[in-house]
Amino acid sequence: MTDPTWKQPPDEDGGFDAIKGFAYQFDATLLEVFENPRSIFEVEGVQDLSGENYHIQIKNRSGNFYLSTIAKAVRLMFRQFLMSDSSVSFFLHCHFPDQAPGTVRRLTSEEFDRLLTDDLVTTGYEDRQRFLKAFSVKFSSDYETQFKKVLKAIASELSAKDQLEAISYHAILHAHLRNLVLSNPPGLRRVSFDSLRRAIRSAQKVIFASTYADHCGYEKYLRMVRRSYSPRRVNVHNRERVFSFECDTTTDPEDIVVAALAIRERYYIPENSPPPYITFRGVFDGEAMRRALWDAEAYFNDGRGYHGGRFNLDYLVNQPSPIRGFGLKIVDQAELSEVINRARVKEFHDLFSNSKCDVPETIQVANHVYLRSYGDFYDVVS
């Protein structure tokens, strides 16, 4: 007799399911964070979402439930289980139209064995039994119902005034999670209730900045920003700083040069304040940026020596002393997280023209500055 739970699932719209699946995963993540405000989670690490003592795979499917549709997720979690201690639990949070939300399902030994590939069938009987006790499938609500739950939680936990504001907060939080995944390697993609709250506050400041500049005048806005860059903390001994420029194909390298020279003049003091780091994000010509800086005698260390060799993190972070005239450091986005951790960066300055970037949680001082031209930053820090 054919097992109805093992039928090959019908063809589905893979692209649609993938896009909707990420949105569903992010909403499930937000709900988990809101329900556990004191916990720190990892997103897209060893599993889709990980807490202190449990891991979660999150799936949203438009077709009916079959064991074959969860086989890959189960095998992934079993492999992780074999490397974990016995106190860790594993959950498959999923939606299937034919399964009632709130239903919890456990696999039988026979069902589980059918899901295993050859390399896993040889695992010990006791390991398989321990996993079955630690693992469960939790059927949840559909995309729309879950989305409404998230909006309600945002209104309650983040004090959104109405549904429109809750929807705007929802978009901000999704962007925050997306940037968290894209900007950090596995192991550093951490999210908590406090980090969500900071993301909202930061976005509010950005919205205020662009609105203030539009309605009160850009020059007046720059004067306001300049007041926030008071000289009181400029020469704090050995304070490491990062200045991040949002760039695109229209960004003028000469504007970057003006800003970089102003940053060097303001913040680099030998034997006291180290050379600040500069990084670029977006689509741009990195070599053109470097050439423009070099031609203007804004000399820098980018961890590759004089001839563009292989990147050396130690050479960048622990800059040989003295390198005469080298008052700046350039770090690529791929190495930024590691540099921030190794150098124990205390300040992060996000200079943007369209959209801000997320600041790592380890940073003590973060500034987001909206600029129509990066050459204008000279007026801010001079």
Side-chain angles (χ1 to χ4, degrees):
M1 181 176 176
T2 302
D3 183 354
T5 65
W6 184 256
K7 287 171 60 179
Q8 185 67 27
D11 291 337
E12 298 177 353
D13 185 345
F16 174 79
D17 278 341
I19 294 172
K20 199 171 183 179
F22 277 114
Y24 187 84
Q25 178 181 329
F26 282 171
D27 280 351
T29 296
L30 292 175
L31 285 175
E32 193 71 20
V33 174
F34 287 138
E35 291 171 2
N36 300 275
R38 297 181 181 274
S39 299
I40 297 176
F41 297 90
E42 182 181 0
V43 182
E44 285 290 337
V46 294
Q47 301 294 336
D48 291 339
L49 184 65
S50 297
E52 184 177 356
N53 294 309
Y54 61 94
H55 300 289
I56 304 176
Q57 276 278 316
I58 304 169
K59 305 297 177 188
N60 179 50
R61 294 291 182 262
S62 56
N64 289 341
F65 173 77
Y66 303 99
L67 283 178
S68 54
T69 58
I70 66 170
K72 183 177 179 180
V74 171
R75 288 194 293 267
L76 181 64
M77 300 186 94
F78 183 44
R79 287 190 174 95
Q80 181 63 31
F81 172 81
L82 294 174
M83 297 183 290
S84 305
D85 62 62
S86 59
S87 66
V88 178
S89 299
F90 291 80
F91 304 105
L92 178 58
H93 172 110
C94 55
H95 168 71
F96 289 87
D98 63 335
Q99 301 296 313
T103 302
V104 177
R105 191 186 196 282
R106 291 189 177 274
L107 299 179
T108 66
S109 296
E110 293 75 16
E111 289 174 332
F112 181 51
D113 288 345
R114 294 185 64 183
L115 300 181
L116 299 181
T117 51
D118 291 343
D119 63 312
L120 292 174
V121 169
T122 57
T123 56
Y125 174 80
E126 291 185 0
D127 284 335
R128 298 204 298 274
Q129 291 303 305
R130 286 193 302 110
F131 176 74
L132 289 176
K133 292 179 181 179
F135 172 77
S136 60
V137 182
K138 295 186 175 182
F139 295 102
S140 188
S141 52
D142 60 25
Y143 175 86
E144 294 296 334
T145 302
Q146 181 175 259
F147 173 66
K148 292 176 182 177
K149 289 181 181 177
V150 174
L151 292 185
K152 186 176 180 181
I154 288 174
S156 172
E157 304 302 327
L158 296 176
S159 303
K161 295 189 292 291
D162 51 34
Q163 187 176 37
L164 183 61
E165 187 166 79
I167 291 173
S168 68
Y169 283 8
H170 178 266
I172 291 167
L173 295 177
H174 267 228
H176 173 70
L177 292 176
R178 183 176 62 251
N179 291 336
L180 188 69
V181 172
L182 295 178
S183 302
N184 298 280
L188 295 178
R189 299 165 179 169
R190 299 186 186 94
V191 63
S192 65
F193 178 70
D194 285 342
S195 70
L196 296 183
R197 192 162 48 187
R198 286 196 299 271
I200 294 298
R201 285 201 299 263
S202 178
Q204 289 171 332
K205 291 179 181 178
V206 170
I207 293 169
F208 169 78
S210 58
T211 302
Y212 188 98
D214 288 338
H215 291 278
C216 299
Y218 184 60
E219 295 301 323
K220 188 175 181 180
Y221 163 74
L222 288 180
R223 290 196 297 271
M224 180 189 71
V225 174
R226 185 175 186 177
R227 287 195 295 270
S228 70
Y229 276 78
S230 64
R232 286 174 296 179
R233 290 197 301 266
V234 170
N235 298 329
V236 175
H237 187 66
N238 284 336
R239 171 156 290 190
E240 299 281 9
R241 300 174 174 90
V242 169
F243 291 82
S244 174
F245 291 84
E246 180 196 24
C247 299
D248 58 29
T249 55
T250 67
T251 302
D252 187 346
E254 296 303 322
D255 289 338
I256 298 290
V257 167
V258 172
L261 288 172
I263 291 168
R264 184 185 70 179
E265 184 68 21
R266 174 76 176 270
Y267 293 102
Y268 174 52
I269 299 177
E271 310 303 329
N272 183 25
S273 185
Y277 290 90
I278 292 178
T279 187
F280 308 105
R281 59 188 177 91
V283 179
F284 61 95
D285 186 345
E287 290 307 312
M289 296 293 185
R290 283 172 162 80
R291 283 196 303 271
L293 289 168
W294 202 262
D295 290 345
E297 299 184 354
Y299 300 135
F300 56 82
N301 171 17
D302 63 359
R304 289 179 169 81
Y306 291 101
H307 303 289
R310 183 178 297 176
F311 175 74
N312 185 319
L313 180 64
D314 288 330
Y315 184 83
L316 178 63
V317 174
N318 303 313
Q319 176 170 301
S321 180
I323 301 183
R324 188 173 181 82
F326 279 43
L328 295 168
K329 296 182 180 181
I330 291 183
V331 55
D332 293 335
Q333 282 289 305
E335 287 90 26
L336 183 59
S337 294
E338 195 170 2
V339 166
I340 286 175
N341 290 329
R342 179 76 71 84
R344 298 181 180 179
V345 173
K346 296 296 188 295
E347 292 184 19
F348 192 101
H349 303 266
D350 171 34
L351 312 181
F352 70 97
S353 56
N354 291 298
S355 59
K356 72 177 184 65
C357 71
D358 286 331
V359 177
E361 292 187 21
T362 56
I363 301 297
Q364 294 178 353
V365 178
N367 288 320
H368 298 277
V369 182
Y370 166 71
L371 294 166
R372 292 176 180 172
S373 168
Y374 291 128
D376 296 335
F377 197 60
Y378 176 86
D379 296 327
V380 172
V381 298
S382 296

